[in-house]
Amino acid sequence: MKDLMGKAIWDYFHNENPEDLQTETSISELDELPVDYLFREFEDMNDIEQKALDLAQGKTLDIGAGAGSHTLYLQNERNLDVLALDISPKSIEVCKLRGIKKVVCENMLDFSGETFDTVLLLMNGTGIFQSLGAIDIYLKKLHSLLNDNGQILIDSTDILYMFDRDDDGGVYIPAGGYYGELDYIVHYKGESENPIKWLYLDFTTLKNAAENNGFKIEKIMQDEDSYLAKLTKK
């Protein structure tokens, strides 16, 4: 792993000629991701993120913490006991330098030994599940990280709107797999990461998977094609 996302976060934090990240998926063109977006304050976050941060309580795990903006808000403004977890070594270094007290650089599937009142997975939190085939593995893992009365707050987007429609409103969806399974590629300063699998889930599909893995689920809010869901143990 080249850790290009981490490299961009590192360069931005240290003011070492950061450039915008570029991302693309198997169904979308190259898109600019300004690195400063990953360092935004609470008031610059979208409604779904703000709602999730408002709902967080107790001992909290922020999975895919990135530059740590969600964690910092919970730690400094909400005074929560919060742990930032990310697979990117450079991102986690920056989290530390930004003053985050508890950090772990690890894949969530390898992380164990603690349980939490709130587990956050934001900025298309379902992406980390990679594919519909792997979702049970991740949901079982999340179940094991949660206290009995705990909650998982996770967001995603139904990306059906990105596909072409015919005159009758039917949608052309590629055969062979679920339409929310994408290859996601990050480019930074002329380098490219190997494609990673990234999963966007419509709410019904997430609901079925969650219920099959010992969770109750409710949709907390909907914002256009995106939503925030709360999972609790059955």
Side-chain angles (χ1 to χ4, degrees):
M1 182 174 93
K2 292 180 182 169
D3 194 16
L4 296 183
M5 189 76 80
K7 206 173 273 188
I9 285 170
W10 179 269
D11 288 351
Y12 180 86
F13 183 79
H14 291 93
N15 215 2
E16 292 181 10
N17 306 312
E19 292 176 14
D20 287 347
L21 286 149
Q22 292 181 305
T23 62
E24 62 180 314
T25 73
S26 37
I27 61 162
S28 61
E29 305 294 309
L30 217 54
D31 202 13
E32 299 280 325
L33 174 62
V35 191
D36 64 359
Y37 180 74
L38 302 174
F39 287 83
R40 64 204 183 285
E41 302 283 335
F42 182 80
E43 50 274 10
D44 298 320
M45 293 176 190
N46 66 40
D47 292 347
I48 282 176
E49 290 171 286
Q50 290 186 359
K51 181 72 174 171
L53 293 175
D54 285 343
L55 289 172
Q57 57 190 14
K59 186 179 168 192
T60 300
L61 174 64
D62 182 11
I63 294 179
S69 296
H70 297 132
T71 312
L72 269 177
Y73 175 78
L74 294 177
Q75 174 186 288
N76 297 348
E77 306 301 322
R78 298 275 324 278
N79 297 317
L80 295 184
D81 173 5
V82 55
L83 173 67
L85 180 128
D86 203 285
I87 202 167
S88 152
K90 279 198 151 57
S91 299
I92 283 296
E93 282 303 313
V94 170
C95 284
K96 279 187 209 164
L97 291 166
R98 294 183 78 193
I100 293 172
K101 296 179 186 122
K102 295 168 75 171
V103 298
V104 173
C105 183
E106 209 166 10
N107 184 313
M108 68 166 273
L109 293 179
D110 300 324
F111 175 74
S112 63
E114 290 189 66
T115 54
F116 298 86
D117 302 309
T118 301
V119 177
L120 284 182
L121 296 106
L122 296 178
M123 295 177 70
N124 190 46
T126 64
I128 210 167
F129 301 160
Q130 300 182 57
S131 70
L132 219 45
I135 192 170
D136 290 349
I137 298 166
Y138 283 90
L139 287 170
K140 282 186 175 71
K141 180 67 190 181
L142 286 168
H143 201 278
S144 75
L145 291 170
L146 205 58
N147 289 333
D148 285 345
N149 295 321
Q151 58 173 352
I152 293 162
L153 299 168
I154 185 167
D155 69 330
S156 195
T157 301
D158 184 350
I159 58 168
L160 200 58
Y161 73 91
M162 293 179 74
F163 292 88
D164 295 327
R165 292 176 184 269
D166 61 25
D167 296 339
D168 301 329
V171 182
Y172 293 111
I173 296 175
Y178 172 67
Y179 67 85
E181 294 177 354
L182 303 185
D183 289 329
Y184 187 82
I185 305 166
V186 174
H187 309 276
Y188 183 64
K189 289 190 173 177
E191 284 192 89
S192 299
E193 199 90 65
N194 289 331
I196 60 165
K197 297 282 181 208
W198 196 244
L199 182 65
Y200 289 88
L201 277 179
D202 69 279
F203 180 75
T204 304
T205 304
L206 176 60
K207 181 174 188 285
N208 292 338
E211 288 172 349
N212 284 340
N213 284 284
F215 288 109
K216 291 184 291 196
I217 180 170
E218 62 176 303
K219 188 192 286 183
I220 299 290
M221 70 179 290
Q222 178 92 30
D223 187 6
E224 293 181 352
D225 295 288
S226 301
Y227 63 86
L228 175 66
K230 175 169 128 175
L231 281 64
T232 50
K233 288 188 176 183
K234 277 184 179 169

